Amino acid sequence: MLWPIILLSAATFDLDPAWKPARDPLVDARAGKIQCHDADPAARTCRIMTWLGEGEGGRVQVRQLTALSDSPALAAELRMGATREGAGLCGVVNETYMASFRIVSSRAPYVPLNDKRYSILYRDALVGALWNRKTCAYAYSRAEDDLQLEVGTVDGQFAGEMMSNYIWISPGAGYRLKARVPA
């Protein structure tokens, strides 16, 4: 079973050769920075904010807020542990994963909302396809560029829909969550 991990740790995912695997995907997290996915630096917004920290036994602690709606101001919050497997951060979407899930206001201080409908909708619509499946995220960067690229796999297979761009931001930089514009 080590073959998929070894192969994926050297995978290029057919990216432009300028993108290189991040040597240490947690270096900015150790400096207290936050991942800001789908960033709009001019508006100082992120669709997803992710805080990463190192836990015991090599586990990575993850807190992630995903903007669901701007009006009403809703976000999905997850707190979970991931494991480092080669160059990837991996976890399984299951009951343990969902135990920390809650719907919050997407405006700081991210107050929990007591509405189970949103939890059910989120789980069915967004998480259902990943239920009991192993997902991994791999960080890539380019020289002289603040933009990072996250590439995902599901059960060891490339998952293009899990690709996203992010930048690292300081907690006091004034960024806020903003949902995607509906297609």
Side-chain angles (χ1 to χ4, degrees):
M1 278 314 243
L2 288 177
W3 283 107
I5 294 169
I6 292 168
L7 291 174
L8 287 174
S9 67
T12 63
F13 299 106
D14 289 327
L15 299 175
D16 180 305
W19 289 101
K20 304 290 184 201
R23 290 186 190 267
D24 180 358
L26 298 177
V27 69
D28 288 300
R30 279 189 216 97
K33 292 188 175 183
I34 303 164
Q35 286 182 348
C36 172
H37 291 255
D38 297 335
D40 180 344
R44 293 191 137 357
T45 61
C46 311
R47 188 178 62 84
I48 301 171
M49 293 176 141
T50 306
W51 292 257
L52 300 167
E54 293 178 295
E56 292 187 27
R59 300 244 335 137
V60 176
Q61 301 304 313
V62 180
R63 177 184 180 220
Q64 187 171 73
L65 289 167
T66 303
L68 301 175
S69 168
D70 293 327
S71 183
L74 301 174
E77 180 182 44
L78 285 170
R79 293 176 186 261
M80 58 183 229
T83 57
R84 291 184 82 163
E85 295 184 18
L89 296 178
C90 303
V92 175
V93 178
N94 56 22
E95 289 297 335
T96 302
Y97 175 93
M98 290 303 293
S100 69
F101 170 79
R102 63 187 185 159
I103 298 293
V104 298
S105 169
S106 65
R107 294 189 181 102
Y110 313 114
V111 178
L113 303 175
N114 191 16
D115 192 330
K116 298 289 184 198
R117 310 177 285 171
Y118 294 118
S119 295
I120 292 167
L121 288 171
Y122 180 84
R123 180 176 175 165
D124 290 348
L126 300 175
V127 180
L130 300 176
W131 199 250
N132 283 325
R133 300 179 77 188
K134 182 179 181 179
T135 62
C136 295
Y138 300 85
Y140 284 81
S141 61
R142 294 183 292 206
E144 310 299 323
D145 192 345
D146 289 338
L147 190 66
Q148 305 280 305
L149 180 65
E150 184 173 85
V151 179
T153 62
V154 176
D155 292 336
Q157 300 295 313
F158 171 71
E161 66 277 11
M162 292 178 64
M163 288 181 73
S164 68
N165 291 310
Y166 65 92
I167 58 174
W168 288 96
I169 59 172
S170 296
Y175 277 75
R176 62 184 172 76
L177 286 171
K178 178 151 181 59
R180 277 188 181 157
V181 176

